Amino acid sequence: MSRRGGRSWNGSPSPCWHPYSPCTCGAGPAGGGAVLAGLGFATAGDVALMLPGRMAFLSGLVFFLSAQLCWTTAFLRAGAAGYLRSRRALCAVHFAVWVAAVAALAPALGPVLGIAVGVYASALLTMALTARVLGRGAAWGGSVFLGSDLLVGLGAAGVEFTGREVLVMVTYTAALALLVTAFTERPTASGSRRPRRNPRDRAPTTLAAADSG
């Protein structure tokens, strides 16, 4: 597979993960470490998918598989298992999408890549399902991620069309933005949004302590 199958275009690395640094979610809700680890694996996958050859593609799949597992872990910690327990029809629809996508791509990919893509697709679909626990934004993020990786899979299968590379990057960036934003802004146990920290909020307390001393 050539660079055209990766998540970048014109040979330049995809920069989409950089806005979601430790400053964004490192101090966020439980599972923030898993989200950051997933972003790190995704970045490694971006680099691998820019390289030519089948082994580079397989390496990219492994990195992105690790990313999906990290994000799924974070969403499970947010209560995804209980959320999905009463939504079996939704799970069945996602399973049908997985079967259709793998069946369509596998013949062109060959046995090794076909199996690898099937395993990765199952992890991707699981991530997209569990992300729904965080609301509409995360649900859209998971769905857009599915579409982005489907475009990558089409490229790996030799299916090309004008604008595919640009669509891959745009949808991938949008998916990460939606997922990470939904995670960092998810409601607390009381149902309210987590307040954003402002260093100025501590100033009155500090001055009051100094006056009392």
Side-chain angles (χ1 to χ4, degrees):
M1 176 183 170
S2 66
R3 287 185 178 184
R4 293 178 300 173
R7 294 182 183 276
S8 62
W9 53 292
N10 292 334
S12 59
S14 171
C16 50
W17 80 278
H18 293 290
Y20 311 110
S21 63
C23 296
T24 303
C25 55
V35 173
L36 286 175
L39 292 173
F41 281 122
T43 303
D46 283 334
V47 174
L49 290 179
M50 286 192 297
L51 302 175
R54 177 166 295 191
M55 288 306 300
F57 182 75
L58 287 173
S59 298
L61 277 184
V62 171
F63 283 125
F64 274 101
L65 173 63
S66 301
Q68 304 302 343
L69 294 177
C70 287
W71 294 327
T72 299
T73 298
F75 299 140
L76 287 174
R77 290 176 181 174
Y83 173 84
L84 293 174
R85 194 169 292 119
S86 59
R87 292 168 172 81
R88 296 181 180 179
L90 179 65
C91 296
V93 170
H94 279 67
F95 177 75
V97 171
W98 173 77
V99 171
V102 173
L105 294 175
L109 294 174
V112 176
L113 278 181
I115 293 174
V117 168
V119 172
Y120 172 75
S122 64
L124 173 62
L125 281 167
T126 301
M127 183 282 294
L129 272 172
T130 55
R132 289 176 172 269
V133 71
L134 299 187
R136 184 176 299 176
W140 273 108
S143 297
V144 173
F145 212 127
L146 286 172
S148 179
D149 274 358
L150 179 59
L151 292 171
V152 174
L154 289 174
V159 179
E160 288 291 345
F161 56 87
T162 303
R164 186 189 67 84
E165 299 168 0
V166 176
L167 281 175
V168 168
M169 190 177 74
V170 170
T171 53
Y172 177 51
T173 304
L176 286 185
L178 288 166
L179 290 171
V180 176
T181 299
F183 183 82
T184 55
E185 296 183 356
R186 73 183 179 93
T188 61
S190 61
S192 60
R193 293 285 179 180
R194 294 179 178 270
R196 296 184 177 180
R197 297 182 179 181
N198 188 341
R200 295 181 179 179
D201 294 341
R202 299 184 61 183
T205 304
T206 303
L207 292 175
D211 292 340
S212 62

